[in-house]
């Protein structure tokens, strides 16, 4: 063995900040959310996989604290990860909501409304205004 010789490994130099929920925190979050997706209300018995999601994404400095966690089914977790609860995401959902309203696509409209309610409920990007239209029958 050649002692004291170190290989240069660029990847090991990257500082990775692990900011994930612990198993215990996840259990607390699941329990608080009554083991259902906060967007669609599906439970494991419906055949969905439940995940704990960072309400404010890690990439935006969201902390791994119970208050920043929410229960999402795999579908909504995936959609949220792709679109993000970012300003762009919110604006996009508002646009999509308006579009689906115009097109009369109730399913899409309902989905967008659900997502936007999550934004509003958690006061995320509340400077971007969104108004649910009068008839809340979109589901
Ligand atoms: Zn869901």
């Amino acid at each position: 063995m050649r002692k004291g010789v170190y290989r240069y490994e660029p990847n090991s130099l990257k500082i990775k900040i692990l900011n994930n929920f612990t198993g215990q925190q996840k259990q607390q979050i699941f329990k608080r959310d009554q083991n259902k997706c906060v967007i669609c209300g599906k439970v494991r018995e419906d055949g969905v996989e439940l995940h704990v999601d960072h309400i404010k994404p890690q990439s935006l400095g969201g902390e791994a604290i119970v208050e920043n966690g929410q229960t999402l089914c795999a579908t909504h977790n995936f959609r949220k990860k792709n679109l993000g609860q970012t300003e762009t995401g919110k604006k996009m959902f508002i646009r999509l909501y308006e579009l689906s309203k115009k097109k009369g696509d109730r399913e899409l409209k309902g989905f967008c409304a659900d997502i936007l309610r999550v934004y509003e409920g958690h006061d995320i990007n509340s400077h971007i205004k969104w108004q649910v239209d009068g008839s809340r029958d979109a589901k």
Side-chain angles (χ1 to χ4, degrees):
M1 290 300 289
R2 293 190 297 159
K3 280 193 180 145
V5 176
Y6 296 96
R7 202 148 50 103
Y8 174 66
E9 291 200 60
N11 287 335
S12 67
L13 295 176
K14 269 190 213 152
I15 299 164
K16 214 175 176 189
I17 301 161
L18 288 176
N19 202 9
N20 277 323
F21 296 109
T22 63
Q24 205 189 354
Q25 285 176 311
K26 285 184 184 175
Q27 290 317 311
Q28 266 177 279
I29 293 162
F30 282 143
K31 200 174 155 198
R32 186 203 58 206
D33 295 338
Q34 296 163 334
N35 289 296
K36 48 186 175 191
C37 172
V38 296
I39 297 178
C40 66
K42 281 194 178 153
V43 296
R44 289 194 182 87
E45 287 70 33
D46 294 319
V48 298
E49 212 182 296
L50 295 177
H51 297 271
V52 170
D53 170 62
H54 288 73
I55 295 169
K56 185 179 177 189
Q58 287 164 283
S59 54
L60 296 177
E63 287 179 80
I65 51 171
V66 172
E67 290 71 32
N68 191 39
Q70 64 182 352
T71 305
L72 289 183
C73 70
T75 306
H76 284 120
N77 190 36
F78 178 71
R79 288 190 193 176
K80 179 177 168 263
K81 279 232 160 60
N82 274 353
L83 301 162
Q85 284 182 357
T86 61
E87 291 195 9
T88 318
K90 187 172 184 182
K91 283 181 193 153
M92 195 218 71
F93 279 117
I94 293 172
R95 237 179 301 139
L96 200 58
Y97 177 83
E98 295 301 328
L99 189 73
S100 58
K101 210 161 76 177
K102 228 182 283 172
K103 279 171 55 188
D105 186 340
R106 290 173 142 253
E107 205 181 313
L108 183 62
K109 187 179 140 195
F111 173 70
C112 292
D114 284 345
I115 299 272
L116 287 163
R117 271 184 214 113
V118 173
Y119 277 99
E120 303 289 313
H122 292 290
D123 209 25
I124 295 165
N125 296 317
S126 45
H127 60 286
I128 303 169
K129 291 291 164 221
W130 171 69
Q131 291 276 300
V132 68
D133 74 346
S135 57
R136 293 187 60 157
D137 60 346
K139 281 221 159 160

